[in-house]
Amino acid sequence: MSKQRSSPTPLSHAASGGAAPQGAAAVPVDPRVALRERVEDCWARLEDAVSELSALHEVKEDAIVDRTRGTIAAEQAPSDHP
C-alpha cells in the first residue's frame, strides 16, 4: 500500500519564490538548508509517484525503473543550446 506523504517542507519565502505573508517579517535562510529541504521534497514526490504507479496503476517495477533511467539519461545528455 502507498505511504502517506507529509506536506512539503515550507521553504523561506525567498527560496520558494513566493512573497512573505502579510505582516510576516522576511527571515534570511541559509540556501544550503533550503536546498536540502527541496531535495527531501523531491524524494517524497518520487516515492509518492512510484507508489501510485505500482499500487494504483499496476505499472511493473521494470517499467518504472526504465522510465526513470531514461529521464536521468535525458538530463545528462548534452544540450543543443549553447
Side-chain angles (χ1 to χ4, degrees):
M1 198 98 197
S2 66
K3 296 186 329 188
Q4 279 292 352
R5 186 178 104 182
S6 62
S7 319
T9 304
L11 301 177
S12 74
H13 304 295
S16 65
Q22 192 171 10
V27 177
V29 172
D30 183 344
R32 294 169 296 186
V33 172
L35 288 173
R36 278 194 301 269
E37 291 172 349
R38 180 76 178 137
V39 168
E40 290 303 316
D41 185 50
C42 288
W43 278 116
R45 288 185 292 125
L46 177 62
E47 291 164 354
D48 192 40
V50 168
S51 184
E52 179 178 337
L53 287 167
S54 179
L56 185 61
H57 303 293
E58 298 179 354
V59 175
K60 301 293 182 201
E61 177 182 348
D62 290 344
I64 296 169
V65 171
D66 289 345
R67 180 91 177 240
T68 304
R69 285 188 176 136
T71 301
I72 293 167
E75 288 294 319
Q76 294 175 346
S79 174
D80 291 337
H81 303 289

